[in-house]
Amino acid sequence: MFAYYLRLGARSLRRNPVLTGLMVLTLAIGVAASISTLTILHVMSGDPIPHKSARLFSPLLDNAPLKSYVPGYREPFAVQMTYPDTMNLLASGQGTHRTAVLDIAGSVEPPRADKPPTEIRGVAVNADFFEMFEVPFLQGGAWGAGDDKAGARVAVLTRKKAQALFGAGDAVGKRFRIWSREFQVVGVLQDWNPVPRYTHLLNGNGGKFNGEDEIYVPFRAAIEAEQSSNGNTSCPGELGAGYKGLLESECTWIQFWFELASAAERPALQNFMDNYVAEQRRLGRFERPVPARIYDVMEWMEFMQVVNNDSKAAVWLSLGFLLLCVINTMGLLLAKFSVRGPEVGVRRALGATRPAIIGQFLVETGVIGLAGGVLGLLLSLGSLWVIRQQSRDLSVVAHMDWPMLGLTLAIALGASLFAGLLPTWRASRVTPALQLKSQ
């Protein structure tokens, strides 16, 4: 019966191609507008490491002075931490892995004299960083915990930067100079660009979605080279003299991550952080009545507002536009079905039940929805291409994946069926006797 209704629906569409075309186009435009914005939101808010995101935590401590405290207000420097807190957390033994993340930059002196120095940007981290975030290697590997303690002058480079410095071939073991110190390459990364760049949302080289850290060196090696942050540094008070003054200050300039063996260990980590804050408060720090906070990956992206309010508003506006298109389609369907009263009357007189009439007309609206979905998909792909031309960040996130493709067709089909409910119900209410008498 369904196949029969499907054939009836296809024939009905050909009876009035102009009206059918208007309905398909109306649905397609509404679907394209909503899917384009939903696709961007889907990529922006996606879980970049779903099998581990509930076990990776970024802790935050509020060490700002009490005099400027406003309950509920988020200070901009609360998203990083001080050097003393970083060292204490690294030594805490909490979790299975721990790492600091410090933005660094410098001028690399390549070994070949015929090549000019080149600027390079990246991060100083601990050896755990690579296993925590499952960073893939093309050559060599990460340095060890002993290198962390010794502040070894070793480095991991991206594939592009290694080729730029040393040409094609194995770069492991080769040396270069940065910060007037010689470093040895121990590993070269495969292309690794998680979207969003959750490990480096703050000060990220290239933004939250685009760019790439070109170099990774041990955190202690960067400290011994007296490297301050290449990103934000916020100081609530006066600094002491020199680099030592920065290290001993309450300035926040370092990011931090824990990895736990399981998400069930979160309460234990929160308890440790609360006790740490209480201990530091007894030592005269942390004047504000603000508890320590820990965020897993998805909570961290929400806290950092990876998806801003403009993007969310755009999605709601596009869904509102889709609803408007559905209402217009409903009006066109009412006009189309209202002239088919005699046809329905004859079918009802010959024994067709009311549910059969409803099924026939809903199948017909479903055919319209599928046609609108296919056209809407093409329009969505075109609009996403236009969006990708607007900025580097949008060029990364404005891509449709298979789930969104399926959602496009589902939305089009659902919208058309919703639009067809009222016209179908009215068509099924036709009284056969009156229709036959009028003929």
Side-chain angles (χ1 to χ4, degrees), residues 142-213:
W143 60 81
D147 295 323
D148 275 337
K149 293 179 181 177
R153 295 174 184 176
V154 293
V156 170
L157 299 175
T158 60
R159 178 183 59 82
K160 293 178 183 175
K161 187 53 76 173
Q163 289 181 353
L165 291 175
F166 306 108
D170 194 349
V172 174
K174 295 186 177 179
R175 296 177 180 274
F176 64 92
R177 290 182 64 81
I178 185 172
W179 309 324
S180 301
R181 290 168 164 79
E182 187 172 77
F183 280 73
Q184 182 177 24
V185 179
V186 294
V188 176
L189 299 185
Q190 292 183 4
D191 294 335
W192 181 64
N193 293 303
V195 178
R197 299 181 65 203
Y198 65 103
T199 65
H200 201 181
L201 290 175
L202 186 67
N203 308 329
N205 177 20
K208 297 176 180 176
F209 304 101
N210 206 348
E212 188 177 35
D213 292 317

Side-chain angles (χ1 to χ4, degrees), residues 204-228:
N205 177 20
K208 297 176 180 176
F209 304 101
N210 206 348
E212 188 177 35
D213 292 317
E214 301 168 312
I215 184 173
Y216 300 77
V217 301
F219 178 70
R220 183 167 180 176
I223 296 299
E224 290 181 352
E226 299 190 352
Q227 293 301 301
S228 55

